[in-house]
Amino acid sequence: MTGYTGSDLFVDALEQYGVEHVFGNPGTTELPVLDAISRSDLEYVLGLHEDIAVGMASGYASTRRYHAHHDENVMPAGVVNLHITPGLAHGVGNTYAAQFAGTPLVITAGNHERDFRHEEPLLHGDLEAMVDQFTKWSDEVLDVTALPTMLRRAFRVALTPPTGPVFLGLPQDVMLSETDPEAIEPLGPIPNAGPGDAGQIERAADLLAEADDPVLILGDHVARSGADAVDAAVDFAEAAGARVHAEILSCEVNFPGEHPQWISHIPPNEGVASMLMDTDTLVFVGTSTHTTLLNHENALVDSDTTCIHISDDAWEVGKNHPAQAAVVGDPGLVMDQLAERLEDRIDDAERERRIDSVETTKQALASTIQSMSEDETPEGETRASKAELVDALKATAPDAYIVDEGVTSKYPLLIRWEMEAEQMISNKGGGLGYGLPASVGAALAESMTEDPRDVVGYIGDGSYLYYPHSIYTAARHDLDLTVVIPDNRNYRILKDNTISIFGGDDEDHDYVGMDFEPPVDLVKNAESHGARGHRVETADEIADTFADALDREGTDVLDVLVHD
């Protein structure tokens, strides 16, 4: 082929849209795209497994989205190219995670030539059907003349709120077909979700003015809407005199942790969640995972409670709880309008009464919330507690950018570290194997800024062992990344859930498949992939080892032994 092909148009369109990196794991059906990339300014980021490539692209895109909130020239979408049916199947796990994280991803995969598929050749399969349930849109480009429109559509669907992954199949014959280089279609402006229905906003303001003890539950769609939306949440909370919580399984910073009206993240525990939401008026803003991990026996929200729902995702409005006021719109824009209305509808004395009540409640809950972040250290135990680990990390690098998949170490992190907006992303989908690749992608995204932050992957040992070869990509690209592993050498979450389902304690159960015995040598594993490895066996060693890792360029992995 000497002419201008579909793969050339694909790559040129990516560059025109502002894409700088393509993540992937190559295969034969993707060779036309790889060949075109070789002649472009795009950088190909190799993952040693397709799910690593998707996870890296997602962490990269989530971080670039934060950058785009401050610089309109930043393209926040991640692009990943996978290898036909088995490769796409490998990538489905982190496509699922990207869906929960609301990551703007354009996922592509090569496919067999259209006139060859009736023979059912090796690697054939229905790509669209495989991934459709985890994407906003999935399709296949069946003619090169359709490629410009479908590629433009893919980016627009991924980037338009509620953001999320999309998939395009790219048959080899289509990508090798000649086409017109002038056919690339401009991306155009991406809209926000709008200001919301004025009547419903008025209704919400009336209900909040009449409330006795309003409680604001913030979900991750707030952080995704931008730092301005987090500021709007502060103005709204102050105008309403509301106490503030983060939704169950919140994975981004939707409200500053040091604000006096901030109370806590709500844990996935029926009793505690119900207690924290036991009030007359609840406002759910941008929530999407606000329910327990296991089936709850009783309703989490009392049927007499007035509920107000605000989201840029219509599906989430009124989904699990009836709403007396429902607003579909950009969370920040809607909260700005509510704050303005409430300034006039709630007098200073009533607002002060509410805020005094928030402080009283905060003091009453302090010990309960703090206890969720602490582990009792057994007598003679030399390993650190999870609380000691978090305290050492926070004291050493309070402004670090955290990518979390700590699972049973998550709540010490959330409770003990008062983070600011855009300081954390996490694995919202729950399936293991997202956080470590996402850390690599985040480190790459930060490296593109004028003043890159320290990127810290806070990854449990069970999570790390899913894709330890993610570290290879960080080392290959000489990324400045520090991975901290709270290593208790078992799947503690499964043991905790066993106790929740069957009762008793550890002594009452013969746990099957939940212990890493013998343990994997995570230090040698990290070193084998090109990073520096460090084993930290006591709490006293954490701060200095962590500080030294942050001071060095390149990738470090800290295997920190912690007790349950």
Side-chain angles (χ1 to χ4, degrees):
M1 297 290 297
T2 57
Y4 187 86
T5 67
S7 58
D8 294 319
L9 185 144
F10 175 79
V11 168
D12 287 349
L14 296 186
E15 290 191 293
Q16 182 172 303
Y17 293 167
V19 173
E20 298 184 44
H21 296 89
V22 175
F23 299 82
N25 182 269
T28 302
T29 48
E30 291 69 47
L31 290 179
V33 170
L34 296 175
D35 178 65
I37 289 175
S38 74
R39 298 188 300 276
S40 75
D41 291 329
L42 295 176
E43 183 173 7
Y44 186 83
V45 184
L46 173 66
L48 298 184
H49 184 285
E50 285 89 350
D51 214 28
I52 290 174
V54 177
M56 288 192 299
S58 188
Y60 173 90
S62 292
T63 305
R64 292 283 280 174
R65 171 162 51 197
Y66 288 157
H67 299 162
H69 292 159
H70 307 281
D71 182 354
E72 63 181 10
N73 294 315
V74 171
M75 162 51 73
V79 178
V80 60
N81 185 234
L82 307 179
H83 178 42
I84 202 167
T85 312
L88 184 59
H90 287 159
V92 162
N94 277 334
T95 302
Y96 165 87
Q99 178 194 48
F100 269 85
T103 309
L105 276 191
V106 177
I107 302 169
T108 62
N111 204 350
H112 286 300
E113 297 89 335
R114 293 161 298 162
D115 61 358
F116 180 45
R117 297 180 193 174
H118 65 283
E119 296 187 24
E120 298 187 351
L122 191 69
L123 307 178
H124 84 284
D126 189 338
L127 304 184
E128 298 167 60
M130 183 192 305
V131 75
D132 183 67
Q133 65 176 309
F134 305 120
T135 59
K136 290 182 69 178
W137 176 54
S138 66
D139 211 330
E140 184 174 29
V141 183
L142 298 179
D143 190 281
V144 72
T145 60
L147 178 60
T149 297
M150 295 182 75
L151 186 58
R152 175 182 58 82
R153 183 186 301 163
F155 274 88
R156 293 189 63 81
V157 172
L159 289 166
T160 300
T163 56
V166 301
F167 171 75
L168 278 184
L170 304 175
Q172 191 171 69
D173 56 327
V174 171
M175 301 310 284
L176 290 173
S177 297
E178 293 192 5
T179 190
D180 180 3
E182 302 300 320
I184 297 173
E185 298 182 359
L187 184 59
I190 304 298
N192 61 35
D197 180 274
Q200 289 298 309
I201 293 173
E202 283 290 318
R203 172 68 174 153
D206 287 341
L207 293 172
L208 283 164
E210 297 166 1
D212 181 58
D213 181 24
V215 174
L216 180 56
I217 311 294
L218 296 175
D220 292 325
H221 287 245
V222 173
R224 296 174 200 169
S225 298
D228 288 347
V230 178
D231 292 340
V234 171
D235 292 341
F236 176 38
E238 290 176 351
R243 62 180 162 99
V244 183
H245 298 271
E247 71 171 321
I248 296 172
L249 301 178
S250 173
C251 285
E252 301 186 52
V253 181
N254 304 293
F255 200 84
E258 293 185 341
H259 192 281
Q261 285 169 249
W262 167 255
I263 306 295
S264 72
H265 292 78
I266 298 180
N269 173 282
E270 177 182 348
V272 178
S274 297
M275 180 265 291
L276 294 177
M277 292 189 291
D278 185 13
T279 188
D280 69 305
T281 304
L282 288 169
V283 187
F284 297 95
V285 184
T287 59
S288 60
T289 54
H290 192 65
T291 190
T292 53
L293 181 63
L294 302 175
N295 185 32
H296 49 86
E297 296 182 1
N298 301 298
L300 298 178
V301 175
D302 190 275
S303 59
D304 293 333
T305 301
T306 296
C307 292
I308 299 166
H309 289 233
I310 301 165
S311 182
D312 57 7
D313 186 351
W315 176 253
E316 298 294 339
V317 174
K319 183 175 74 173
N320 290 335
H321 312 291
Q324 280 71 47
V327 187
V328 178
D330 180 274
L333 297 179
V334 174
M335 287 189 288
D336 273 336
Q337 295 174 77
L338 283 169
E340 183 177 349
R341 285 166 168 78
L342 292 175
E343 286 293 341
D344 298 328
R345 300 190 192 194
I346 301 174
D347 61 39
D348 290 342
E350 170 61 12
R351 188 174 291 110
E352 184 175 348
R353 181 198 69 77
R354 292 183 183 186
I355 291 176
D356 287 344
S357 177
V358 171
E359 178 60 28
T360 300
T361 301
K362 187 170 187 173
Q363 293 178 7
L365 292 172
S367 60
T368 298
I369 293 168
Q370 191 69 12
S371 68
M372 293 188 292
S373 75
E374 296 173 341
D375 299 305
E376 183 177 348
T377 301
E379 185 176 351
E381 177 62 73
T382 59
R383 293 174 296 174
S385 68
K386 297 161 188 173
E388 289 173 317
L389 170 58
V390 170
D391 289 348
L393 300 182
K394 175 188 173 184
T396 305
D399 298 323
Y401 181 48
I402 306 299
V403 183
D404 163 60
E405 191 172 299
V407 189
T408 51
S409 302
K410 181 182 181 78
Y411 278 89
L413 180 74
L414 296 180
I415 292 169
R416 306 181 77 86
W417 199 327
E418 300 88 1
M419 295 189 188
E420 295 295 324
E422 302 183 349
Q423 193 177 352
M424 183 190 78
I425 57 175
S426 185
N427 179 4
K428 197 171 182 67
L432 300 189
Y434 176 78
L436 186 58
S439 301
V440 178
L444 177 59
E446 279 296 311
S447 73
M448 300 165 67
T449 66
E450 292 184 3
D451 186 21
R453 296 175 286 180
D454 290 321
V455 179
V456 177
Y458 180 78
I459 313 296
D461 53 324
S463 300
Y464 183 91
L465 287 169
Y466 265 60
Y467 297 130
H469 42 318
S470 304
I471 294 298
Y472 169 80
T473 303
R476 174 186 173 98
H477 289 268
D478 196 26
L479 296 178
D480 196 12
L481 171 65
T482 302
V483 177
V484 177
I485 307 170
D487 183 2
N488 56 7
R489 296 181 171 176
N490 69 92
Y491 289 126
R492 183 68 242 178
I493 185 65
L494 296 181
K495 294 181 179 180
D496 291 345
N497 290 344
T498 298
I499 292 170
S500 295
I501 293 170
F502 299 104
D505 52 32
D506 285 340
E507 287 71 29
D508 298 314
H509 300 284
D510 183 13
Y511 296 119
V512 176
M514 302 182 197
D515 291 288
F516 306 143
E517 184 59 45
V520 177
D521 191 329
L522 300 182
V523 170
K524 289 183 179 178
N525 181 282
E527 291 172 345
S528 76
H529 290 109
R532 291 176 292 264
H534 316 268
R535 180 166 293 110
V536 182
E537 298 186 347
T538 66
D540 293 341
E541 303 171 57
I542 297 172
D544 287 344
T545 308
F546 182 51
D548 289 344
L550 292 175
D551 287 341
R552 287 189 294 266
E553 297 292 326
T555 304
D556 287 80
V557 176
L558 279 60
D559 178 20
V560 182
L561 302 186
V562 297
H563 65 76
D564 285 333

